[in-house]
Amino acid sequence: MKIKSMFLVVSLLGLAASSAAHEGECPFCKLKLVQNTKDQDNEVVLKFGNKRIEYRCVYCVVKDQARYKTDLVVYAPSEKVGEPVVLKRTDGKWTAPAGSVFLNTFTKHANCAELSRAFSTKDAFTDYAKKHGAESAKPLNLDEFVAMVNKPAN
């Protein structure tokens, strides 16, 4: 019985530590990371080499790309839970799956996780935009999205 109780305590401590490991701030905007929910993925993950870094939104990771000199893989949350849109930067050139589109309409960075996202299809973009008050937003292809993110501020 003692062994079972000790195992349970150690397991629960490990679970608490792993869930806390996701909490933190975005390396670019310094705002708190937005966690996944059962209905929507929110975690944007950058991988290069053995490193894994979480960002608040797709805008933040692309805007911060100059910090990294190697090839990158970004797992951008899509409309489908557990099925991110996978972006790659190889030799400085970004690529995304055919048909994927992007939303980038936030005016306050506090809204970036909700309004800077990737979608696997234009229809998914349209559905999301309607639900989140961004009906007038234009779906961007990857090149348009990267250009918008990297446009110098006025």
Side-chain angles (χ1 to χ4, degrees):
M1 185 69 170
K2 243 183 175 176
I3 293 174
K4 284 184 182 178
S5 296
M6 197 158 71
F7 178 75
L8 180 62
V9 169
V10 169
S11 295
L12 289 174
L13 287 174
L15 210 82
S18 68
S19 66
H22 286 289
E23 294 181 18
E25 66 180 33
C26 176
F28 179 73
C29 71
K30 307 300 184 212
L31 294 175
K32 186 177 178 180
L33 295 172
V34 179
Q35 301 303 303
N36 292 342
T37 67
K38 72 176 186 113
D39 300 321
Q40 178 174 294
D41 286 345
N42 292 303
E43 296 172 2
V44 179
V45 177
L46 167 70
K47 289 188 178 182
F48 65 99
N50 295 343
K51 303 254 189 248
R52 179 187 188 278
I53 301 170
E54 289 185 37
Y55 280 81
R56 185 172 168 88
C57 70
V58 182
Y59 174 96
C60 287
V61 74
V62 171
K63 189 72 170 175
D64 203 31
Q65 69 170 323
R67 161 190 320 223
Y68 309 103
K69 305 301 178 204
T70 63
D71 294 343
L72 307 173
V73 177
V74 175
Y75 297 88
S78 75
E79 73 285 356
K80 299 175 188 170
V81 173
E83 296 182 33
V85 173
V86 180
L87 312 175
K88 295 179 181 178
R89 187 188 74 181
T90 307
D91 296 327
K93 173 78 173 129
W94 284 100
T95 58
S100 58
V101 295
F102 299 83
L103 171 67
N104 195 57
T105 61
F106 69 91
T107 54
K108 295 182 291 180
H109 215 93
N111 299 331
C112 70
E114 184 178 309
L115 297 173
S116 184
R117 299 185 63 89
F119 301 89
S120 61
T121 66
K122 189 175 177 182
D123 287 342
F125 169 94
T126 302
D127 291 345
Y128 183 90
K130 283 180 188 173
K131 287 180 189 172
H132 291 86
E135 296 93 344
S136 63
K138 175 187 175 230
L140 305 169
N141 66 36
L142 181 60
D143 290 337
E144 292 169 327
F145 178 78
V146 170
M148 178 182 277
V149 168
N150 291 320
K151 183 180 177 184
N154 292 334

